[in-house]
Every structure is written in C-alpha cells, then in structure tokens.
Amino acid sequence: QLQASGGGAVQTGGSLRLSCVASGFDFSDYGMGWFRQAPGKGRDFVAAVTWSGGSTYYADSVKGRFTISRDNAKNTVYLQMNSLKIEDTAKYYCAADKGWATRDKDEYDYWGQGTQVTVSS
C-alpha cells in the first residue's frame, strides 16, 4: 500500500513537499516514482529514484525545480516541488517498481491514491 500526502493549493512560484509512505512490501527493494495526471489527460512521468536513492530521473518539464528523494528507514519517498507553475496542477501519484525505477508507468507494480496539487496565479 502507498499513501501519498502533502498536496494542496499554492500560488505560482510557491513550494510543496509531497510524501508517500509504503507498507506491505519491502520498500528498499523497489524503485519509486511520481506521476501526475491533469483533468482530461493521461498519467505522465514526473520523477523516479532507484532503490538505493543513488540515481534519480526527471521529466524535462520539472528538471531543476523538483527533487525526488527517499528514506528507506521510514519507508517514505518525497517530492520537493519548488517554483511551481500553473501547468503543474494535477493529481500526483506515487508508485513502486520492482525493477529499476523506469519512466514507463506500465512497469510499476503498486500505486497510491494520489494527492491533488493546485497552482494558481
């Protein structure tokens, strides 16, 4: 099970930190990813981190503004989002990948319920 939290409403240029707590599987064996889905659109890759935290990957649209990290002792993955833009508005989902932490959402094994992020001017 994955439980995401930390979403909310923020103005452009603001920051939010999303958290996702895992349970029911061996968190440290899984790559973790964040995806987002805006109304009427598909679920897009945002960021991913390998099981050890040693490698991270980002969508071009968030590179330099978002940072993914994890704490295996707390079974938690984070997404620090800075310099938020209106186009970042979406529901954000965390997911667990038994493989490497791919950009392909179809490779992920477990999904959280999502947390809404709304950015306004």
Side-chain angles (χ1 to χ4, degrees), residues 16-65:
L16 284 173
R17 188 195 196 201
L18 306 184
S19 299
C20 175
V21 180
S23 61
F25 63 95
D26 195 342
F27 179 75
S28 60
D29 281 349
Y30 283 71
M32 297 297 297
W34 286 97
F35 292 77
R36 65 187 181 186
Q37 187 167 15
K41 296 190 175 182
R43 192 168 296 189
D44 295 329
F45 170 77
V46 175
V49 59
T50 53
W51 64 273
S52 67
S55 295
T56 56
Y57 308 93
Y58 297 94
D60 288 344
S61 59
V62 307
K63 203 172 292 183
R65 300 187 297 122

Side-chain angles (χ1 to χ4, degrees), residues 46-90:
V46 175
V49 59
T50 53
W51 64 273
S52 67
S55 295
T56 56
Y57 308 93
Y58 297 94
D60 288 344
S61 59
V62 307
K63 203 172 292 183
R65 300 187 297 122
F66 290 12
T67 302
I68 188 171
S69 61
R70 67 188 295 159
D71 185 339
N72 285 348
K74 295 182 178 180
N75 283 4
T76 302
V77 61
Y78 305 98
L79 186 68
Q80 177 67 45
M81 305 187 295
N82 298 329
S83 303
L84 282 161
K85 305 176 180 180
I86 291 177
E87 52 263 42
D88 294 320
T89 295

Side-chain angles (χ1 to χ4, degrees), residues 10-14 83-86 119-121:
V10 64
Q11 291 188 321
T12 54
S83 303
L84 282 161
K85 305 176 180 180
I86 291 177
V119 185
S120 61
S121 59

